[in-house]
Amino acid sequence: MIDNHEFGGQHTEIKLELVEKYLKAWATALRPKFNSLWYIDAFAGTGARTVRTEARDGDLFEAPVPERVESRRGSAKIALDIVPPFDRLIFMEQKAAHCAALEALKAAHPDRDIRILNGDANVLIPATIDRVNWTSRRAILFLDPYGMEVAWATLEAIARTRAIDVWFLFPLSGLYRQAARSISDVDATKRRALTTMLGTNEWETELYSPVPPAVDLLGALEPSAERQRNADVAGLEQYVKRRLETIFPLVADPFPLPPQRKPQRFSLFFAASNPSEKAIALARRFAGHILKAGISSHVRPR
Ligand SMILES: C[S@@+](CC[C@H](N)C(=O)[O-])C[C@H]1O[C@@H](n2cnc3c(N)ncnc32)[C@H](O)[C@@H]1O
C-alpha cells in the first residue's frame, strides 16, 4: 500500500541530510567495536516523502514549467541504505496507513532485521529501550515529530540507557506559541503542554519576569500582577539546550531550521547519552563537525 506522505519544506532536506551524514560517520566508526548497532526511528513516517514543486507560468524569456511531483527517501529508507548497515531497524509510527507503507518497505528488504511498532512513540520508546541490555549494543534514535509530541519522560528514558545518541527536531515554534508573551495568555492547556515537553514547571519563573510598575497620572507607581516572557526565540532555544543538558552528558549547539529565513521554526538538536569520555569525544567530533559545517548545498546559518 502506498501512503502519500507530503510534509516539510527546504528544512526537511537539510534535516535529513545532516542526520544521514551522522548515521554514516557513526556506523563506520562503531562497526569494528560493536556487533549490534541499532537505528530507532520513533516518528518514522512511510519511508518516502512526496515533494511537490509548483507550476510556473512562462513569460517572454522562460518556458512554462508544469507542476512536478517527486518521491524522495524519508528517514526510514535513508537509514536502511546506510553502509555499513544497521543490525536492526525499529520503526515506530502512530498512523496505521504509514505503518502499512513501512511494512511494504520491510517486505522489499527481506534480508534485513526490521521491526515495525504501531503506536505512540512516548509509550513505545520506554517500553522498547528499557528492556534492552545495552552493554555491547549502541543505537541512534531519531525524533522527528510534526509538533510538540515528544514528552520529557521519553527523553529521560533515552538518557537512562547511556548508549543511545539522539537527533531531535525540536518544535521551537510550538514553544514560542505556547509560551505566549504575557503569562496571562498562557492558559491551563498551554501550561500543561509546556510542562510535559520541558519536564518541569520552573519554565514559568525562568522564562517570565514581573512587569515593572507603571506610573499613573499623578506620578504614583501602579504595581502590575502581569509577567512577561523575558526570552526571545534565541533565548528559548538556549533554555531548551540547558534543559537537555540536565539529563544528557553532551548536547551540541542546535542547527536552526529553516537556516536563513525568519521565523525559525525548529531547532535540530543532537544529544549523546553515553557519559564515557571516549564516547563523548567521538560524538562531539562527528556531530560538532556536521552541525558546524552545515551542508554543502546550504550556506552556514550562523
Ligand atoms: C514529520 S513526520 C516523520 C517523517 C519521517 N521522519 C521521514 O523523514 O520520512 C512525523 C510522523 O510521526 C507520526 N506521529 C505523529 N505523532 C506520533 C506519535 N505520538 N508517535 C508515533 N508517531 C507519531 C506521524 O504520523 C508522521 O508519520
Side-chain angles (χ1 to χ4, degrees):
M1 168 178 178
I2 301 298
D3 186 76
N4 246 2
H5 191 205
E6 216 175 319
F7 64 92
Q10 182 216 26
H11 71 264
T12 302
E13 297 288 336
I14 302 174
K15 166 188 76 182
L16 291 175
E17 202 173 321
L18 292 172
V19 172
E20 181 175 12
K21 279 191 172 176
Y22 188 82
L23 295 181
K24 272 188 198 152
W26 182 90
T28 306
L30 269 65
R31 181 77 287 167
K33 302 185 184 98
F34 293 91
N35 55 15
S36 188
L37 298 180
W38 289 9
Y39 171 77
I40 305 172
D41 203 328
F43 294 79
T46 60
R49 58 204 174 87
T50 306
V51 179
R52 200 176 290 273
T53 312
E54 273 180 31
R56 267 204 326 265
D57 288 338
D59 57 23
L60 270 179
F61 308 102
E62 298 207 28
V65 179
E67 182 187 57
R68 214 175 58 225
V69 180
E70 305 168 59
S71 178
R72 297 198 191 151
R73 295 180 310 157
S75 53
K77 177 71 169 97
I78 287 172
L80 257 172
D81 289 344
I82 292 292
V83 177
F86 289 101
D87 300 294
R88 176 175 296 178
L89 299 106
I90 303 176
F91 300 146
M92 300 173 177
E93 173 55 55
Q94 194 162 47
K95 204 172 160 190
H98 288 185
C99 282
L102 291 168
E103 291 291 351
L105 185 65
K106 175 178 165 159
H109 295 81
D111 53 327
R112 304 295 300 273
D113 179 353
I114 300 172
R115 315 282 165 107
I116 296 166
L117 306 177
N118 183 196
D120 178 359
N122 291 303
V123 177
L124 294 173
I125 290 175
T128 306
I129 64 180
D130 275 352
R131 285 183 303 152
V132 174
N133 177 354
W134 290 105
T135 317
S136 57
R137 184 169 281 139
R138 293 292 177 267
I140 297 187
L141 195 151
F142 185 27
L143 293 168
D144 187 20
Y146 288 133
M148 294 174 50
E149 290 92 342
V150 178
W152 186 258
T154 303
L155 297 168
E156 286 178 322
I158 298 167
R160 261 198 312 272
T161 64
R162 297 159 78 100
I164 297 181
D165 286 351
V166 59
W167 284 90
F168 178 17
L169 186 75
F170 183 86
L172 200 61
S173 59
L175 175 56
Y176 57 69
R177 271 201 300 268
Q178 303 295 312
R181 281 273 165 207
S182 300
I183 196 78
S184 53
D185 292 330
V186 185
D187 62 19
T189 310
K190 289 181 171 168
R191 264 169 207 277
R192 248 193 325 276
L194 287 166
T195 299
T196 304
M197 180 168 74
L198 296 168
T200 174
N201 54 15
E202 284 167 12
W203 55 265
E204 192 167 337
T205 44
E206 302 216 18
L207 298 177
Y208 288 82
S209 311
V211 174
V215 180
D216 71 11
L217 285 174
L218 300 171
L221 291 180
E222 257 183 51
S224 163
E226 184 59 283
R227 276 171 300 142
Q228 292 278 326
R229 168 150 60 75
N230 51 43
D232 58 8
V233 171
L236 289 175
E237 187 182 60
Q238 279 310 305
Y239 179 66
V240 175
K241 182 166 188 256
R242 287 200 300 279
R243 285 295 303 145
L244 291 170
E245 283 167 344
T246 63
I247 55 172
F248 289 102
L250 171 70
V251 181
D253 281 337
F255 194 92
L257 291 170
Q260 285 148 331
R261 231 174 323 118
K262 299 267 185 233
Q264 181 178 337
R265 291 176 52 209
F266 297 97
S267 302
L268 183 62
F269 275 101
F270 169 82
S273 68
N274 186 336
S276 89
E277 261 176 45
K278 256 166 110 181
I280 294 282
L282 187 83
R284 178 173 282 136
R285 187 151 51 87
F286 286 164
H289 175 75
I290 287 165
L291 287 164
K292 271 203 198 82
I295 44 178
S296 50
S297 48
H298 304 275
V299 180
R300 274 178 58 181
R302 292 172 179 148

